[in-house]
Amino acid sequence: MAGNKRLMKELAENQSTPPPGCKISLENDDDILLWNVTMTAPSDSIYAGGNFKILIKIPKEYPFKPPVLNFKTKVYHPNVTNDENGSMCLGMLRPDEWKPPNKISDVLKLVRTVLAAPQPDDAVEQGIADQYKNNRKEFEKVAKDWVNKYAK
Amino acid sequence: MPIATRKRKADSTTASADATSEPQRKLTKVSKALQKDSISQEQAALPATPQTLTSDKGMDSDDDFNSVASSMDLGEEMSSSVDFGAGESDVDIDDDYQDDGAFDATAKDLAPKRKHFEVEFKVYSPQDIQSQQDTQIAEVANLLEQPSEATAILLRHTRWNKERLIEQYMDNQEQMLDKAGLGQEINQNPPRVVVKNGFTCDICCEDGPGLETFAMNCNHRFCTDCYRQYLTQKIKDEGEAARIKCPGDGCRKIIDAKSLDLLVPNELTDRYHQLLMRTYVDDKESLKWCPAPNCVYAVECGVKKRDLNKIVPTVHCECKQSFCFGCTLPDHQPCPCVLVKRWIKKCEDDSETANWISANTKECPKCNSTIEKNGGCNHMTCRKCKNEFCWMCMGLWSEHGTSWYNCNRFEERSGTDARDAQAKSRQSLERYLHYYNRYANHEQSARLDKDIFHKTERKMTLLQSTSGMSWIEVQFMEAASQALQQCRQTLKWTYAFAYYLARNNQTEIFEDNQKDLEMAVENLSEMFEKPTDQLAGLKVEMMDKTTYCMRRRVILLDDTAKNLKEETWKFNVELR
Ligand SMILES: [Zn+2]
Ligand SMILES: [Zn+2]
Ligand SMILES: [Zn+2]
Ligand SMILES: [Zn+2]
Ligand SMILES: [Zn+2]
Ligand SMILES: [Zn+2]
């Protein structure tokens, strides 16, 4: 299986030099396909001070198929589904956009960027996106509330 | 050239002596159409060469077909007739160029010059489609001086619009190649696998000596295993073919057929080419796959989406499936696609209210004994009291033939008793049920007609072999059965259509036509319930009734289609 050597290497790299704001471990020691990420929000973002748990499920076909990301910590964000999945909509994870040389660290860097700078035009939560666009104050208030409630 | 074409050509060999002026007139019309609307003509053309590039294009059969798109604009002048399925039975009523009286004495008077409900179409086999693609690729490749793999990618990029491709290419070659996912220097370096020492594959991280690698001329190099697996997944799991990009990060270069053939095993190349053919048909507005399960044919028709409120383009595949080119549902003439969609949605939403209708038993309106329906015919006779009544309206059958009785028309009760909201909603439900009842009934009756025909056919065969009776020609029954199927299909949709019609004179004429077809169909359907041993003696009568049914159908369809084309129908909803 082509993916294994690659995946071992990626894991090692991510643990020795993790992407900014991330801490990476395996969810279970014997399963390389389930990664556990703790992401600290950028300090200049409204999510500052929040630590978000993200679960990365890696398909058997990786890297030919993209990994799947779920926010395990509730986050008030137009691009993250407000349900038990906490799925984030990321262009690069779409099957027609994903390219096998793409790496999980690239994905995590992008996640952190989008976390800090929501993309309301690409939203999965339309209500939150509308609020983000039309009533930023209220949006920021709820987002900060949620950080205090769930991400501390 | 297409092999499976059902279109009749209007050349002088099929035209009769007294119709010699016909082809002449037609050619004039075609050339007029060509001048008038050369753009839609080009779009409708499949195998034709670009108008702007060749001048030696003759008035061959392709041009003849090209006039389809333009003929829409010419209103009356649908340039030639197309067989609409009657060819399957021996009731042939369709040919403009049929010699007077040579084939069927009645054909002349019941076939108007051009039928408004017919459209021109062609049926293509997979081989036809492949060769069409190949021809077009070769033509354009020659012109652009590009290899055919690159040309194929360019053509797919512009969705097989040659004119646009050539224009844009001439305008800015570099930009065009780039947008289509082709780099420069496409002519150089045929694709090949290269062994590279000291190379690390960016996908699998292998770096052993003797590693086989591949890259297109964008130079995104990976080991062949990874390249292969990437392509396999795209083709097999994602069903992608025409737009597979280079696996390189962010690279938009499209993989060409030659590189693909080099890398993947044969069975996958076959699938790849199959998928390419799919996208070829999917990319062209004038082509559609036949929706019949397992059917491999595609149909070409010049009717455009914007025309669908004015025509119901029923086409007939080689596999005998008749379907609407507009929405690919089974033939739903005379009802236009938008109303069909609306009607189906309404029936789904109201399925509970309407469920009781599909019941196979009802009570005799006179003596209340239970009556079961086992044939398609709606003329019922109670076993007990001999009451003859109509299954659909439960009214006396004897009144159905009279001019004042309307089983098909919904009589709105006059204003006074429908004033309050409740009465109104009851009336609107009654109205819907009236039409739904008849719609569903014809669907069911068509099934029952078919069943009874097969039963009768078996009984006759049995009768012949056991009694040693002489062989009875059963062809006429087959024809009758097919006519019944076709007419009930039409009738079914006349009720969906009528549901959306506003009340006026034109609607009444429509309902008269509908009623005439109803009666013709019931009279024919009734014959199938006669004892088997009498059927042989009824041959002439059955053939007459079959012809009559088909004639009524043509009259109804033609009148409806004409008014649709002229947009004179008044509907009680917007055609959206
Ligand atoms: Zn590799
Ligand atoms: Zn590339
Ligand atoms: Zn077919
Ligand atoms: Zn349709
Ligand atoms: Zn009775
Ligand atoms: Zn009736």
Side-chain angles (χ1 to χ4, degrees), chain B residues 261-276:
Chain B
D261 289 346
L262 182 77
L263 291 166
V264 303
N266 278 342
E267 73 264 19
L268 216 63
T269 348
D270 291 350
R271 175 92 185 110
Y272 171 75
H273 288 284
Q274 243 173 40
L275 286 166
L276 281 186

Side-chain angles (χ1 to χ4, degrees), chain A residues 1-7 9 60-66 92 95-103 106, chain B residues 200 202-208 222 225-227 229-230 233-234 237-238 245-252:
Chain A
M1 186 57 215
N4 227 338
K5 185 168 180 179
R6 148 102 183 240
L7 203 51
K9 201 173 158 198
K60 287 195 306 294
E61 297 85 351
Y62 184 82
F64 297 98
K65 278 189 182 165
M92 78 177 287
D96 55 330
E97 285 294 318
W98 175 258
K99 293 293 188 71
N102 295 155
K103 295 193 168 54
D106 301 331
Chain B
T200 308
D202 219 10
I203 297 177
C204 62
C205 302
E206 283 305 331
D207 51 6
F222 303 100
D225 279 348
C226 284
Y227 227 113
Q229 198 177 339
Y230 172 75
Q233 188 201 297
K234 288 283 167 198
D237 301 356
E238 294 171 31
K245 292 174 212 142
C246 158
D249 183 22
C251 182
R252 311 236 144 231

Side-chain angles (χ1 to χ4, degrees), chain B residues 53-54 72 76 114 122 217 229 244 250 254 371 404 526:
Chain B
L53 301 164
T54 52
M72 284 299 300
E76 292 274 302
R114 276 165 206 97
K122 278 183 184 176
N217 47 25
Q229 198 177 339
I244 304 178
I254 304 287
I371 313 257
W404 48 269
E526 209 168 334

